[in-house]
């Protein structure tokens, strides 16, 4: 007899969205939910639920073990930290309406890492177990403090056997600013393009007209 794992459901447009703790989900009609509630599931319904990770025939069968494995992987918390997001400055030369960061203007004081903050972060890296590290530089605009970015990169390369760095930049200052960093194989760039130059330059920018630099140097 097919049994169901714990699940949740809620309206989703004109259908019902089903989900469970293992991260499985599907959408179906309200009629399908009615059949579940009435325990009136035919063979096709039962097979569908098993293949979607919502049902099993008996404890220890393929579907039971598969769902438990996905659940364990989802809930597992690694003891080795291998991904860190750092914000060396909150200052930014743009003021985009969709930005999720707590932006500070270019003239802001105490919006950058101090030398003490940098030292404590490098000590934090030294305290981590493992030999792999991915560091993502966000902001603000991290290229405003390339000295901090370069210090972190140099230290991490000495500390970890395998490193990767992602520089999240608006490129408003032009590509030449980040080109030396991108020459290294372990450094990648993440940026945002709103569209052609006329649209890109409509982003609010109270501090300068530097957003035109996005298209330069490529």
């Amino acid at each position: 007899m097919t049994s169901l794992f714990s699940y949740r459901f809620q309206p989703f447009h004109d259908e019902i969205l089903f989900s469970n703790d293992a991260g499985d989900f599907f959408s179906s009609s309200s009629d399908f939910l009615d059949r579940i509630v009435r325990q009136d599931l035919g063979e096709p319904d039962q097979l569908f639920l098993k293949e979607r990770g919502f049902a099993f025939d008996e404890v220890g069968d393929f579907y039971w073990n598969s769902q438990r494995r996905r659940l364990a992987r989802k809930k597992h918390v690694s003891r080795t930290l291998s991904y860190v997001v750092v914000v060396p400055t909150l200052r930014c030369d743009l003021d985009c309406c969709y930005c999720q960061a707590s932006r500070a203007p270019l003239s802001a004081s105490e919006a950058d890492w101090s030398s003490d903050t940098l030292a404590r972060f490098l000590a934090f890296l030294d305290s981590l177990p493992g030999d792999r590290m991915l560091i993502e530089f966000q902001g603000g605009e991290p290229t405003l403090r390339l000295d901090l970015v370069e210090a972190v990169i140099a230290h991490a390369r000495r500390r970890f056997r395998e490193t990767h760095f992602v520089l999240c930049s608006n490129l408003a200052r032009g590509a030449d600013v980040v080109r030396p960093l991108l020459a290294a194989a372990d450094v990648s760039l993440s940026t945002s393009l709103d569209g052609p130059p006329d649209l890109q330059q409509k982003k609010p920018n109270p501090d300068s007209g530097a957003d035109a630099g996005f298209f330069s140097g490529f």
Side-chain angles (χ1 to χ4, degrees), residues 89-103:
T89 179
L90 289 174
R91 294 183 298 122
C92 187
D93 42 10
L94 299 183
D95 188 16
C96 306
C97 61
Y98 51 73
C99 182
Q100 82 283 2
S102 300
R103 174 198 177 272

Side-chain angles (χ1 to χ4, degrees), residues 85-175:
V85 175
V86 298
V87 181
T89 179
L90 289 174
R91 294 183 298 122
C92 187
D93 42 10
L94 299 183
D95 188 16
C96 306
C97 61
Y98 51 73
C99 182
Q100 82 283 2
S102 300
R103 174 198 177 272
L106 287 178
S107 58
S109 60
E110 300 183 355
D112 297 6
W113 278 10
S114 65
S115 57
D116 179 64
T117 300
L118 174 61
R120 286 188 286 117
F121 178 71
L122 298 183
F124 166 73
L125 290 182
D126 288 339
S127 71
L128 296 176
D131 58 0
R132 298 180 180 180
M133 178 55 61
L134 166 60
I135 298 178
E136 185 169 318
F137 298 95
Q138 297 187 6
E141 173 53 42
T143 64
L144 294 174
R145 290 303 307 269
L146 279 178
D147 57 324
L148 296 173
V149 172
E150 291 169 345
V152 170
I153 289 177
H155 186 88
R157 284 172 175 161
R158 292 191 297 267
R159 166 60 184 83
F160 300 98
R161 178 180 60 83
E162 182 178 329
T163 56
H164 191 83
F165 308 96
V166 179
L167 185 65
C168 301
S169 172
N170 58 37
L171 290 182
R173 304 169 68 207

Side-chain angles (χ1 to χ4, degrees), residues 13-14 17 22 36 45 49 52 54 56 75 78 85 87 92-93 107 117 139-140 144-145 148 154-155 169 189 192 201:
H13 297 294
D14 296 329
L17 178 65
I36 293 178
D45 291 336
L49 287 169
R52 289 287 182 165
F54 282 76
F56 62 100
K75 291 183 175 293
S78 175
V85 175
V87 181
C92 187
D93 42 10
S107 58
T117 300
L144 294 174
R145 290 303 307 269
L148 296 173
H155 186 88
S169 172
L189 176 69
S192 173
Q201 294 176 27

Side-chain angles (χ1 to χ4, degrees), residues 33-114:
L33 177 59
D34 290 340
R35 294 200 297 275
I36 293 178
V37 173
R38 297 196 311 267
Q39 298 184 5
D40 185 26
L41 296 171
E43 288 294 331
D45 291 336
Q46 296 179 40
L47 180 60
F48 174 83
L49 287 169
K50 286 186 288 188
E51 291 181 341
R52 289 287 182 165
F54 282 76
F56 62 100
D57 289 327
E58 59 183 25
V59 173
D61 69 5
F62 171 81
Y63 299 106
W64 190 90
N65 285 325
S66 178
Q67 201 266 5
R68 292 300 172 182
R69 176 178 173 81
R70 293 195 306 279
L71 183 62
R73 292 182 62 182
K74 189 172 187 295
K75 291 183 175 293
H76 172 69
V77 178
S78 175
R79 295 184 179 181
T80 301
L81 183 64
S82 59
Y83 171 53
V84 178
V85 175
V86 298
V87 181
T89 179
L90 289 174
R91 294 183 298 122
C92 187
D93 42 10
L94 299 183
D95 188 16
C96 306
C97 61
Y98 51 73
C99 182
Q100 82 283 2
S102 300
R103 174 198 177 272
L106 287 178
S107 58
S109 60
E110 300 183 355
D112 297 6
W113 278 10
S114 65

Side-chain angles (χ1 to χ4, degrees), residues 159-211:
R159 166 60 184 83
F160 300 98
R161 178 180 60 83
E162 182 178 329
T163 56
H164 191 83
F165 308 96
V166 179
L167 185 65
C168 301
S169 172
N170 58 37
L171 290 182
R173 304 169 68 207
D176 287 341
V177 174
V178 298
R179 197 181 304 280
L181 283 176
L182 298 179
D186 60 350
V187 180
S188 299
L189 176 69
S190 174
T191 190
S192 173
L193 172 62
D194 293 330
D198 59 336
L199 179 60
Q200 179 81 1
Q201 294 176 27
K202 287 182 179 180
K203 293 188 294 189
N205 186 11
D207 296 311
S208 70
D211 53 328

